[in-house]
Amino acid sequence: MNIAIIGAGAAGCFTAIEIKRRLPHTKVTVFEGGKKPLAKVAITGGGRCNLTNSFKEVSSIDSVYPRGARLMKRLLKEFGNQDTCLWFENEGVRLTTQPDQCVFPVSQDAMEIVNTLTSLMRKHDVKLKTGHKVTGIVYNEEEQENRYSLDIQTPTGSSVYHATHVVVTTGGSPKKEGLRIFDRLNLETISPIPSLFSLCLPSHPITHLMGTVVENVTAAIAGTKMKAEGPILITHWGLSGPAILKLSSYAARYLYEHEYKATIVVNWFGGEREENILNYLNDIIIRHPQKHIQSIYPQQLNSRLWQFILHECGIKEHIRWAEIGKKGLHKLASCLSSHTFNVNGKNRFKDEFVTCGGVALSNINPSTLECKNHKGLFFAGEVLDVDAITGGFNLQAAWTMAYIVAKSCANKH
C-alpha cells in the first residue's frame, strides 16, 4: 500500500501516525500546502490547545455538532473523548479539565501537542512534504498500484504523485474554490461558509462597555428557534463569548443567507421568564424600597451594564426603588428578559476559524469514512460537512475520524 494523506492538520497527522502503528511497512506520505504542519492546532484555544471536552455537560450530540451529529454519535462510540485523553497521556502529555469541561494540556501550551504529533510522525517514518499543495485528484478505476494520481504544486514547479489509497484531511475551506480539488471525482459538495464567529453591532452604545462579561445568558435569533446559553462578552465591535459563538454555529446558514443581518434577543437572566424576573424585581422593592436603583441590581451584572440597561429603559438611575412605578418595572423586566440588538456583520473569533459545508456526508460510508464511489479514498476532519461549537469538539471530531480512517485503511490491507 502507498497511502497519500492530503493536509497536515490534526486529522491528517493523527491518521498518519495511527496507520503506521497498524501497518509499519506501509509507505505513508503527508502533503501540506503550508510551510508548517499543524498550524491551526498551534493557535487553537488561544495558543493553549483545547484538544477535547469531557462531554459531562453535553445534553445531546446534536447540541454540540450542528452538522454531522448523527455521524459523530456513531463514531464517538468507537473513539471518544476518553480515548483521546488516554492516547495523549500515553505519549506523556499531562491533561487538565477546566470547570467549563474543556480539556487542555497542563502546560497550557499548544506546542506540546504539535511537538508530540510531529515527533511521533518522525518516529514512525511518516514522510512529510510541506509546501506541496495538492490541486487535483484523479481516480483510475482500472489501476491497482496507481489508483490515484495527485496533481501537486511544489516550490520548484508541479508534479504528479501516484498512490493506492488517499486520505483527504484538508480541513475547512473558507471558499468554494477550495473544493476544486474534487472536480474530477464527481462528489456532492456543500458550499462552505463561516461558522463560529462573533456578531457586529456597528455604532451601538453597548460597545462602550467592552470587556464586560455576563456569565449566564441566553442569546436567540428573533423569529427562529435558534438559541444558545452561556457567558457573553461585550467587545468594541459587538457581542462575543461562548453563547454568541454557539449561536453563530447553530445559525451559520441562516445568518449567511440573511447577509449577517438579524435581530438578536439577549436574556440577561439566562433564560428566566419575564414573569419570574418581575417577581425578582418586586422582591428588591420590598426589601430595599429606599435604596437608589443604581446601587441595588442583579448580581450577575456589573454597575456599568446595569446603568446602561436603565438608560435603555428610560429609567433615571438616581430614583429610589419605591419610585420606579409599575410601567417602569415592567419595562425593566422586559429588557432584562428580551434585550434586542440589531446585528450587521460578523467578526472572526480570533484565529480559530471554522467553516460548515464541504464534502457531503452522502458520499461516504459512515462506518469507514471511505468514499462510496471511489475505493481507497477516505475523508476525515472538517473537509466533511461536520463542524462543532467551541469547546474542544471540533478537534475531537478530527481525532475520532482520523482513528476510524486509520483502522479502515488497515482493514483493507
Side-chain angles (χ1 to χ4, degrees):
M1 292 174 71
N2 176 19
I3 301 175
I5 298 177
I6 308 173
C13 293
F14 201 91
T15 301
I17 294 164
E18 283 295 306
I19 289 176
K20 289 293 285 187
R21 283 178 168 175
R22 289 170 168 79
L23 304 171
H25 301 298
T26 296
K27 182 179 180 181
V28 177
T29 307
V30 181
F31 296 96
E32 168 59 43
K35 295 180 180 179
K36 295 180 179 179
L38 300 160
K40 192 172 176 181
V41 173
I43 60 175
T44 191
R48 298 183 297 134
C49 193
N50 180 189
L51 81 166
T52 188
N53 190 284
S54 76
F55 281 71
K56 289 182 179 179
E57 296 181 358
V58 174
S59 57
S60 69
I61 297 300
D62 302 68
S63 68
V64 293
Y65 292 100
R67 287 150 291 275
R70 186 176 179 182
L71 176 67
M72 289 308 303
K73 185 175 182 179
R74 178 177 192 156
L75 300 183
L76 285 165
K77 292 177 181 178
E78 192 163 351
F79 191 86
N81 59 303
Q82 293 182 350
D83 299 303
T84 295
C85 292
L86 183 61
W87 195 96
F88 281 99
E89 286 170 341
N90 285 339
E91 298 304 329
V93 179
R94 292 189 301 136
L95 304 175
T96 181
T97 303
Q98 295 186 163
D100 62 1
Q101 304 308 309
C102 293
V103 179
F104 289 85
V106 170
S107 65
Q108 300 289 297
D109 185 2
M111 289 309 298
E112 182 178 8
I113 303 300
V114 171
N115 293 335
T116 296
L117 293 171
T118 53
S119 65
L120 283 170
M121 290 171 71
R122 288 192 297 270
K123 175 183 176 181
H124 293 291
D125 195 28
V126 173
K127 305 301 180 185
L128 174 62
K129 294 183 177 292
T130 56
H132 284 60
K133 182 180 181 180
V134 178
T135 58
I137 306 172
V138 178
Y139 176 65
N140 307 307
E141 190 171 3
E142 303 302 322
E143 291 281 351
Q144 292 299 318
E145 294 302 317
N146 295 317
R147 184 178 291 149
Y148 290 94
S149 300
L150 308 184
D151 298 327
I152 301 173
Q153 289 182 348
T154 71
T156 57
S158 60
S159 64
V160 176
Y161 185 86
H162 300 288
T164 57
H165 296 72
V166 173
V167 182
V168 183
T169 57
T170 48
S173 172
K175 298 179 180 179
K176 193 171 183 177
E177 288 75 15
L179 300 178
R180 287 180 178 170
I181 183 177
F182 308 121
D183 282 354
R184 287 174 283 182
L185 296 177
N186 295 316
L187 298 177
E188 180 188 354
T189 60
I190 299 172
S191 295
I193 60 170
S195 179
L196 205 62
F197 46 82
S198 52
L199 303 175
C200 296
L201 306 175
S203 304
H204 197 289
I206 198 170
T207 57
H208 296 151
L209 306 181
M210 59 182 180
T212 296
V213 175
V214 182
E215 290 296 334
N216 182 29
V217 308
T218 298
I221 296 180
T224 77
K225 295 182 179 180
M226 290 175 279
K227 65 178 181 179
E229 299 178 351
I232 198 169
L233 168 67
I234 299 171
T235 69
H236 67 276
W237 64 82
L239 300 175
S240 188
I244 296 299
L245 297 174
K246 287 180 190 177
L247 185 62
S248 76
S249 185
Y250 299 151
R253 294 257 168 225
Y254 177 92
L255 290 170
Y256 173 79
E257 291 167 0
H258 288 79
E259 299 180 328
Y260 301 100
K261 295 179 181 179
T263 298
I264 302 297
V265 183
V266 174
N267 185 321
W268 298 108
F269 272 64
E272 280 287 349
R273 296 168 55 189
E274 183 177 338
E275 179 183 355
N276 294 336
I277 296 174
L278 191 61
N279 290 336
Y280 172 87
L281 297 176
N282 272 312
D283 187 59
I284 293 180
I285 293 174
I286 293 171
R287 292 186 292 112
H288 307 286
Q290 298 307 311
K291 292 286 187 179
H292 287 108
I293 199 167
Q294 68 173 352
S295 64
I296 302 293
Y297 51 87
Q299 62 180 4
Q300 68 265 37
L301 309 179
N302 64 24
S303 60
R304 294 173 66 211
L305 180 55
W306 177 243
Q307 289 180 37
F308 174 81
I309 291 172
L310 291 177
H311 180 75
E312 288 274 282
C313 296
I315 299 173
K316 296 180 180 179
E317 57 190 46
H318 296 295
I319 67 169
R320 304 180 191 277
W321 271 103
E323 301 169 341
I324 188 173
K326 188 174 182 180
K327 183 178 179 181
L329 193 65
H330 280 271
K331 195 169 185 179
L332 184 55
S334 176
C335 186
L336 289 170
S337 66
S338 54
H339 200 164
T340 60
F341 300 92
N342 293 322
V343 172
N344 188 359
K346 64 175 176 61
N347 196 48
R348 178 184 289 181
F349 176 57
K350 299 181 181 178
D351 293 310
E352 300 173 36
F353 56 91
V354 172
T355 60
C356 69
V359 175
L361 299 183
S362 58
N363 296 290
I364 64 168
N365 181 324
S367 298
T368 63
L369 301 184
E370 183 176 19
C371 184
K372 293 176 181 177
N373 296 328
H374 304 301
K375 295 179 180 180
L377 176 64
F378 297 84
F379 297 89
E382 205 182 325
V383 66
L384 289 169
D385 186 26
V386 177
D387 65 284
I389 63 174
T390 185
F393 302 106
N394 281 297
L395 270 181
Q396 180 58 56
W399 313 131
T400 294
M401 287 191 270
Y403 179 90
I404 300 301
V405 167
K407 180 181 175 182
S408 301
C409 287
N411 288 341
K412 292 179 73 70
H413 182 64

